[in-house]
Amino acid sequence: MANLYLCQRSTILKAVILLAALTICINLYAREFVGRRSKPAAGGEASWVPHLCPHYGLRGRGTRRLQWEPPSNNTIFFTQTSCEIVLSAREACAVESSSAHHPHRPVLVLLTAPDPDQDHPLLKVLQGLANVRLAWLDLDQVFEDANLRAWHQTRQWMFSEGRTFAEVGDATRAELLRRFGGTYVDLDAITLRPLPSLNNWLGRVDDTLLINTAVVSFVPGHPILQDVVRSIPDSFKPHDCCSIGPVLFTHLLHQSCPKNVTTPSSAHPDEAEHCNDVTIFPRSYFYPIHYGYREGQLESIFREGEGLGRAFLSSTQAFSLHLFHSVSDKAVVSLSGDSILKEVAQRNCPKVFRVLQDHNLAL
């Protein structure tokens, strides 16, 4: 009986030891697995993706996922922070128009979706352009420097109500320009002619108020960009529009040059302002049609039957036409009409325009 009792105790002890060893192995494996999963993988898995793009799912195109690629000082670059896997017709037109007017400059389209639908006809057109590349906008790579690392890692941009994509876009634009330089263009800005060749410029969106950053060019490390990026964490107001975009740029330029860059502007509407080596072009350069909705302003871009398209193109000296997507995205124009948008698209992004016709897609 005693021997049976000792045998049972020995069997139980072995089982306990085996169970303990198995538990340790499971914990070690789980820790290693979680550790591996928490590290960004090449081509798109990163901790910020579920926060910015909660409805985004990798589509299984492992070998076709985009890779992170920063711009250079000579690059014209776009950023899409909306997590969409395709570009809209107007966005594709913006990219092609920039490519067409700058055939000898690289054009980089940075997307927060690492696995876009590269078989979509509009993306296929863009990838067929010799100087256009698509790349992944990896926010961990963008914000890896100390200035904005904590702001990004604590997901401060998530506190913005309904403007998260815009706030991420404002911060991304400033940091990429600070680190790498280049020319940034909004995806709702169609290029009409080659952009100014000088360095360090941007333009007013309003004759009497804000300096905007929808079309902007700087050399890397410029002091005003250093100031902007350093100011973002404290200047960020999640409930206010544009607190780390146009508002911040306008404030810092006025602070640096209070006599030259006044708020509102004291310069003639057709004259540029200067702050040290920064040129601030008048509204007519990049925003020739105002964003207000009074007659003759923004809604005129979409009006048909009045011959406005040809009249605009024959008279404007603007470098770009900004569509102000946030207040005009519901307007649709006919590809056979005579609106400003249709005429501008047909002339400045003809390949995209033909795809829209062939596939019966809206503009």
Side-chain angles (χ1 to χ4, degrees):
M1 192 73 177
N3 288 338
L4 179 61
Y5 174 71
L6 290 174
C7 182
Q8 289 175 334
R9 284 193 62 185
S10 176
T11 302
I12 293 172
L13 183 59
K14 289 179 181 178
V16 169
I17 292 172
L18 181 62
L19 180 61
L22 182 61
T23 301
I24 292 172
C25 289
I26 292 173
N27 287 337
L28 288 173
Y29 173 79
R31 189 178 304 172
E32 176 67 14
F33 178 76
V34 171
R36 287 179 181 175
R37 293 288 294 171
S38 65
K39 299 175 184 177
E45 297 184 36
S47 60
W48 57 267
V49 172
H51 300 144
L52 183 67
C53 317
H55 303 297
Y56 176 78
L58 294 176
R59 294 148 36 84
R61 301 173 179 267
T63 59
R64 303 186 69 192
R65 293 182 192 173
L66 301 179
Q67 302 297 313
W68 158 246
E69 179 182 333
S72 69
N73 190 35
N74 190 44
T75 302
I76 297 171
F77 68 97
F78 299 81
T79 62
Q80 189 207 59
T81 56
S82 63
C83 307
E84 296 291 338
I85 61 172
V86 297
L87 293 182
S88 71
R90 296 177 190 177
E91 290 173 336
C93 182
V95 175
E96 185 191 347
S97 67
S98 183
S99 166
H101 288 293
H102 306 89
H104 303 298
R105 293 184 65 179
V107 175
L108 184 65
V109 185
L110 292 159
L111 307 169
T112 43
D115 190 24
D117 182 3
Q118 298 184 56
D119 293 322
H120 190 279
L122 290 174
L123 288 191
K124 290 178 75 171
V125 165
L126 297 183
Q127 292 185 102
L129 301 174
N131 60 335
V132 173
R133 287 179 58 83
L134 305 183
W136 183 39
L137 183 63
D138 183 357
L139 300 185
D140 288 338
Q141 297 284 349
V142 174
F143 299 126
E144 66 178 359
D145 283 6
N147 288 311
L148 294 177
R149 189 187 306 131
W151 185 82
H152 166 61
Q153 289 179 344
T154 55
R155 306 294 186 257
Q156 291 298 305
W157 36 262
M158 290 186 66
F159 293 99
S160 179
E161 295 182 358
R163 285 187 47 81
T164 298
F165 297 147
E167 303 291 4
V168 171
D170 284 341
T172 297
R173 168 186 335 174
E175 179 67 343
L176 289 175
L177 286 168
R178 183 191 73 85
R179 290 177 59 190
F180 306 107
T183 301
Y184 169 85
V185 181
D186 262 358
L187 277 168
D188 58 352
I190 300 175
T191 303
L192 305 179
R193 53 178 43 86
L195 297 172
S197 58
L198 70 162
N199 291 317
N200 309 324
W201 53 260
L202 62 178
R204 282 197 182 268
V205 69
D206 189 288
D207 293 335
T208 61
L209 191 58
L210 289 176
I211 296 166
N212 204 12
T213 55
V215 188
V216 54
S217 188
F218 277 94
V219 297
H222 192 279
I224 194 66
L225 270 302
Q226 302 283 14
D227 289 342
V228 167
V229 169
R230 276 195 296 266
S231 301
I232 284 177
D234 292 333
S235 299
F236 178 54
K237 296 179 175 58
H239 303 295
D240 296 345
C241 171
C242 317
S243 64
I244 57 175
V247 171
L248 182 55
F249 272 83
T250 303
H251 169 71
L252 290 175
L253 283 166
H254 170 67
Q255 194 174 58
S256 298
C257 303
K259 293 183 178 180
N260 292 356
V261 184
T262 56
T263 51
S265 173
S266 59
H268 187 276
D270 296 326
E271 294 179 353
E273 301 159 88
H274 300 278
C275 180
N276 302 318
D277 65 342
V278 178
T279 300
I280 303 148
F281 290 115
R283 176 180 67 84
S284 60
Y285 274 50
F286 307 112
Y287 316 99
I289 298 179
H290 199 266
Y291 54 84
Y293 267 94
R294 295 188 296 276
E295 184 177 359
Q297 297 189 337
L298 185 62
E299 56 89 22
S300 68
I301 297 175
F302 312 100
R303 288 212 306 267
E304 300 184 283
E306 301 177 34
L308 296 179
R310 292 183 181 178
F312 170 77
L313 287 171
S314 66
S315 62
T316 187
Q317 298 298 313
F319 291 93
S320 67
L321 175 65
H322 199 279
L323 302 179
F324 298 99
H325 173 78
S326 62
V327 292
S328 71
D329 61 314
K330 299 296 188 293
V332 179
V333 302
S334 170
L335 297 182
S336 59
D338 62 353
S339 68
I340 292 176
L341 178 56
K342 178 262 181 179
E343 295 289 345
V344 163
Q346 188 173 27
R347 184 174 302 187
N348 294 281
C349 57
K351 294 182 179 179
V352 165
F353 192 85
R354 283 196 295 273
V355 166
L356 298 179
Q357 291 178 314
D358 294 343
H359 293 267
N360 196 28
L361 299 174
L363 178 60

